[in-house]
Amino acid sequence: MGDSGDSGDLASAYNDDSVLFRVLRHLGWDSLVDIGYFTLPTLPLVVLTGPVPFQRRLARRSLALLDARPGQLVLDAGCGRGDTTARLGAAGCRALGVDIQPAQIDQARRRFGDSARFAVADATALPQRAAEIPLTEGSFDRVHCLEAAFHFGHEGRRSFLSESFRLLRPGGRLVLVDVTSRTDQPIESLDPNGLVRGTWRFDDIEPYERYPLMASAAGFTTRRILDWTTPVLHRAAQLCALFVGAASTRAGRRALCLRWPGLRTLDAQDWDEVITVVRAHRAIGRVTHYTAYVLDKPASRGRPAGRLPAGHPPV
């Protein structure tokens, strides 16, 4: 996670103050807080395994796009609880994870402090040093940002792209995976009661077609754009529909509590609230994309920014 706008204090988000996050914790969210990557044949396995294997699959796919090598210095921006940073460290990279939320970084250090470094920092306005690592121009080989930039706000995302370009060496790479919008429709019209924005602490969602333009303005070449909307958002929406259907009846709630006993701590008001929040998410989900951008810093000044190299289609 990185900087946030006016939807609340992001530094105190992602905790049990939200009934949705209490439910997600009971369902199995732990060191990973991404949505997950679901394929249709494996979708029924969620009941048996919970979300974690699918969250790990999404993290693996995102990290694979980095093409990071052992010994390379990698910044994991908006690292959350540190799982992806630790994976980079386990692969031999010199990994630094930064996040604006102190509680997340505390968890990351406790769990993964032996394999990576972590620091509380705003990814849109980085300090000169973090965890004793200088954040100087051209000092990093890779930058990774998985499902965090939607928190930054439009100007924050522009700043993050500029910061990433500054940090990367020529030939370096940024992988940015984010929830994006299909249209320029104001988020207020899609979330009139602020239930989704208040839960996740964000103010807007970037139109998916605008990201490459912003990246080009920062100096990047767009190598690949991958549309993961169906395996991430559409499949998650199907699971949400099943959950809401079960949670709407007493028998369904009993069945959910048998599978995930922690849900027994929810009272009737909690159940009603989480149903309302999940339904609000489904409404926004119909007009959103989930997009992975692979952005390269040109290896030489002579290479123009913003052009898709041959052999790498946009979707």
Side-chain angles (χ1 to χ4, degrees):
M1 290 174 294
D3 196 14
S4 67
D6 299 327
S7 293
D9 181 7
L10 183 56
S12 62
Y14 283 69
N15 58 38
D16 282 1
D17 290 344
S18 163
V19 66
L20 179 62
F21 284 109
R22 292 207 305 274
V23 168
L24 290 172
R25 177 169 56 81
H26 293 315
L27 294 180
W29 272 32
D30 189 16
S31 58
L32 278 163
V33 290
D34 63 64
I35 298 171
Y37 190 101
F38 306 89
T39 57
L40 192 57
T42 60
L43 207 58
L45 295 177
V46 175
V47 177
L48 298 175
T49 66
V52 172
F54 305 92
Q55 292 178 289
R56 289 174 177 166
R57 179 184 294 166
L58 177 58
R60 287 196 303 269
R61 285 179 170 270
S62 182
L63 292 172
L65 295 174
L66 276 178
D67 193 27
R69 309 298 172 83
Q72 289 186 329
L73 184 58
V74 183
L75 176 68
D76 194 13
C79 68
R81 298 168 185 170
D83 183 274
T84 48
T85 318
R87 289 171 181 268
L88 289 164
C93 298
R94 294 176 293 142
L96 168 64
V98 299
D99 197 284
I100 201 173
Q101 190 183 108
Q104 302 274 52
I105 291 297
D106 286 344
Q107 290 187 51
R109 286 171 174 160
R110 289 197 304 269
R111 290 170 167 171
F112 307 118
D114 293 337
S115 58
R117 295 188 183 186
F118 299 94
V120 177
D122 182 348
T124 69
L126 292 165
Q128 294 182 347
R129 300 177 68 88
E132 301 182 355
I133 297 176
L135 303 181
T136 55
E137 181 175 348
S139 57
F140 280 74
D141 298 283
R142 299 286 189 269
V143 177
H144 179 248
C145 184
L146 171 60
E147 209 173 294
F150 71 94
H151 290 298
F152 299 172
H154 174 67
E155 290 303 321
R157 287 184 283 272
R158 289 180 59 186
S159 297
F160 172 66
L161 288 166
S162 296
E163 283 283 77
S164 298
F165 190 85
R166 177 185 67 83
L167 282 180
L168 286 168
R169 62 167 176 78
R173 173 172 293 179
L174 164 65
V175 169
L176 192 160
V177 180
D178 200 16
V179 180
T180 57
S181 174
R182 296 176 186 267
T183 70
D184 290 320
Q185 187 174 356
I187 192 70
E188 293 85 357
S189 65
L190 305 172
D191 183 35
N193 297 317
L195 294 176
V196 180
R197 287 170 290 154
T199 298
W200 296 94
R201 312 293 175 91
F202 71 95
D203 293 322
D204 59 8
I205 303 175
E206 204 69 48
Y208 75 100
E209 293 178 335
R210 188 185 293 163
Y211 255 127
L213 301 177
M214 295 165 59
S216 178
F220 284 103
T221 295
T222 300
R223 175 169 289 273
R224 297 182 69 188
I225 303 174
L226 297 98
D227 185 352
W228 290 348
T229 305
T230 294
V232 179
L233 294 185
H234 290 172
R235 301 291 184 239
Q238 289 177 285
L239 293 171
C240 287
L242 292 173
F243 180 87
V244 166
S248 299
T249 68
R250 289 184 179 180
R253 291 177 188 181
R254 286 196 295 269
L256 290 171
C257 289
L258 284 174
R259 172 59 187 88
W260 291 285
L263 295 176
R264 293 171 183 162
T265 61
L266 273 63
D267 59 25
Q269 183 177 345
D270 290 332
W271 282 108
D272 291 342
E273 183 178 348
V274 76
I275 289 170
T276 300
V277 171
V278 171
R279 284 175 174 163
H281 279 73
R282 293 182 64 199
I284 282 187
R286 287 191 285 269
V287 295
T288 51
H289 274 294
Y290 195 92
T291 316
Y293 301 91
V294 181
L295 308 171
D296 289 346
K297 183 171 182 175
S300 65
R301 295 184 182 274
R303 184 177 180 180
R307 181 178 300 170
L308 286 166
H312 293 277
V315 292

